Amino acid sequence: MSGRALLDRYKATLSGLARKDRLRTLSTRSGLDFASNDYLGLARSPRLAEAVSVALAAGTPLGATGSRLLRGNDPEHETLEAKAADFFGAERALFFGSGYVGNFAVLTTLPQKGDLIVLDELVHASAHEGARAGRADVVEAAHNDAGAVDDAIVAWRVMGGTGRPWIVVETLYSMDGDRAPLGELIAVADRHDAFLFVDEAHATGVYGPNGRGLAHDLEGRDNVVVLHTCGKALGASGALVTAPGVLCDYLVNRCRPFVYATAPSPLMAVAAATALDIVADEPDRRERLAGLVALAAKRAEALGLAASGSQILPIVVGDNASAMALAQKLQARGFDVRGIRPPTVPEGTARLRVSLTLNVGEAGVSALFDALAQEWEYAP
Ligand SMILES: Cc1ncc(COP(=O)(O)O)c(C=O)c1O
């Protein structure tokens, strides 16, 4: 077989994606930021940069040089984890290289054979992936429907399921910006002796007292595990899994993505720890973001759109081509707004995902909605 022929099936897949307006390509950032998850504008924070350069100058290595279980366990990792446990109100915390790995790690390690994972149907791809790769049974429940979660657990018990259920949700959904009914979900978890695994990716730093997240009053419970990503509002990268100490010890012993990977950069641990300080010390960032959310909601409603009530504002267009065309029109006018298509979102719900951050002021938000009103012919 010639070298060319070896590549044919990949080319055919890409052509198929292009035919369905689903071909993705990379583009570098340009235009006003309505696309990043840098909600509090921390990625370029001078205080964060200063903390990292001071640590670097003081000899903190760039690379961890090995697994946490070998020589890669730096004091900076341990300092971050102690700070995070204290900050979020959990017994312990464990630092992972990314939120994707954190979700995958937890779901392939903690739910055991004979357990049941109940995923909200809209949880992030990394949770789906981890559940699928793990040993537990997996079912999906209708989005934000605690009754459907309850039904799934009852049905599994009736069929002879004897292990522990794991309920997996996000607190603020990444593509819809809506919130989980946490009170109802923890009640279901308690009723069934189940664990609740909560992904705070888009809420950490933004909501709750001192930015501790929407699940702040559930942290510290024996049946709650939380994932806080560091690459969104915290402006760094990585993720902190907060959990009872015994579960963190179990992850250190049994979690293959933790054991068999080079630890995250110690400098990133310094950045994440500093970001937690900033989030606590500078509440005005959350207040300014709330102001932008209120303004965007008002402008969205004036266009007949339902506001999500958060910094993630989906503008559902429907078909892939129209969503991408609308995004391109706005990009051409200087707004970095990205179209999101299946499989990231359900079929027929291609959308613009407008993300509000402190990288843009009120004038920028108003200008975006002025432009959207003019380009609205593409919307349903
Ligand atoms: C809800 C949710 N969980 C997890 C992740 C993965 O986090 P990270 O980007 O740090 O890998 C994301 C990021 O896209 C997310 O939106």
Side-chain angles (χ1 to χ4, degrees):
M1 195 185 286
S2 79
R4 290 280 125 211
L6 280 174
L7 303 179
D8 283 351
R9 59 183 176 163
Y10 302 103
K11 283 189 199 150
T13 301
L14 293 174
S15 307
L17 287 175
R19 272 196 304 280
K20 288 182 266 173
D21 294 306
R22 276 170 61 166
L23 186 67
R24 305 181 208 214
T25 52
L26 298 174
S27 58
T28 49
R29 70 171 80 89
S30 74
L32 261 191
D33 177 10
F34 286 101
S36 82
N37 301 310
D38 186 21
Y39 303 125
L40 299 176
L42 291 190
R44 288 195 164 73
S45 147
R47 192 170 156 194
L48 215 56
E50 171 74 7
V52 172
S53 42
V54 166
L56 191 58
T60 299
L62 182 58
T65 77
S67 161
R68 291 285 297 278
L69 286 173
L70 299 173
R71 206 177 153 80
N73 188 40
D74 288 272
E76 290 79 4
H77 298 125
E78 296 202 345
T79 302
L80 167 63
E81 289 169 348
K83 183 185 283 264
D86 184 51
F87 180 88
F88 292 113
E91 196 177 348
R92 289 261 294 283
L94 212 52
F95 188 39
F96 287 86
S98 72
Y100 190 104
V101 169
N103 268 334
F104 188 87
V106 166
L107 290 170
T108 49
T109 310
L110 296 182
Q112 313 278 301
K113 194 168 169 47
D115 285 355
L116 172 71
I117 298 175
V118 186
L119 297 171
D120 182 288
E121 62 184 339
L122 294 189
V123 290
H124 191 256
S126 52
H128 282 279
E129 222 56 57
R132 200 157 49 192
R135 287 176 295 272
D137 298 335
V138 184
V139 292
E140 287 184 25
H143 178 53
N144 269 352
D145 186 342
V149 173
D150 195 277
D151 290 347
I153 296 171
V154 169
W156 173 72
R157 289 269 185 238
V158 168
M159 297 296 287
T162 53
R164 293 265 175 241
W166 284 77
I167 301 167
V168 181
V169 299
E170 291 174 26
T171 50
L172 189 81
Y173 280 84
S174 59
M175 292 298 146
D176 292 270
D178 58 336
R179 297 173 184 211
L182 285 181
E184 293 171 38
L185 289 163
I186 193 69
V188 174
D190 288 346
R191 193 156 59 243
H192 292 288
D193 280 336
F195 286 95
L196 180 61
F197 178 36
V198 174
D199 181 344
E200 288 262 55
H202 297 275
T204 302
V206 178
Y207 297 100
N210 274 350
R212 285 168 50 208
L214 290 168
H216 62 89
D217 53 356
L218 302 180
E219 299 251 16
R221 294 176 56 128
D222 280 352
N223 65 341
V224 171
V225 177
V226 182
L227 178 104
H228 296 280
T229 56
C230 306
K232 302 187 194 297
L234 300 189
S237 74
L240 290 151
V241 170
T242 53
V246 66
L247 296 185
C248 289
D249 288 339
Y250 191 88
L251 288 166
V252 167
N253 281 274
R254 284 288 165 84
C255 174
R256 296 174 71 84
F258 185 87
V259 174
Y260 295 109
T262 298
S265 167
L267 288 176
M268 203 46 79
V270 170
T274 308
L276 293 179
D277 289 338
I278 297 176
V279 158
D281 297 349
E282 302 182 20
D284 61 295
R285 288 182 185 266
R286 275 187 296 287
E287 285 155 25
R288 277 188 284 143
L289 183 62
L292 295 183
V293 170
L295 172 62
K298 204 170 89 193
R299 296 294 310 262
E301 277 159 7
L303 287 179
L305 295 162
S308 65
S310 75
Q311 78 278 17
I312 299 168
L313 194 68
I315 298 176
V316 177
V317 174
D319 72 277
N320 300 342
S322 302
M324 297 317 281
L326 183 53
Q328 274 161 20
K329 290 266 181 195
L330 294 170
Q331 286 159 11
R333 295 174 69 144
F335 304 100
D336 190 1
V337 177
R338 304 292 172 107
I340 310 283
R341 292 165 285 179
T344 305
V345 293
E347 205 66 52
T349 71
R351 65 193 66 186
L352 306 187
R353 176 185 184 270
V354 173
S355 171
L356 300 167
T357 72
L358 296 190
N359 299 326
V360 172
E362 292 196 349
V365 172
S366 289
L368 171 71
F369 280 93
D370 289 345
L372 196 56
Q374 286 158 15
E375 305 296 349
W376 193 232
E377 61 187 288
Y378 289 99

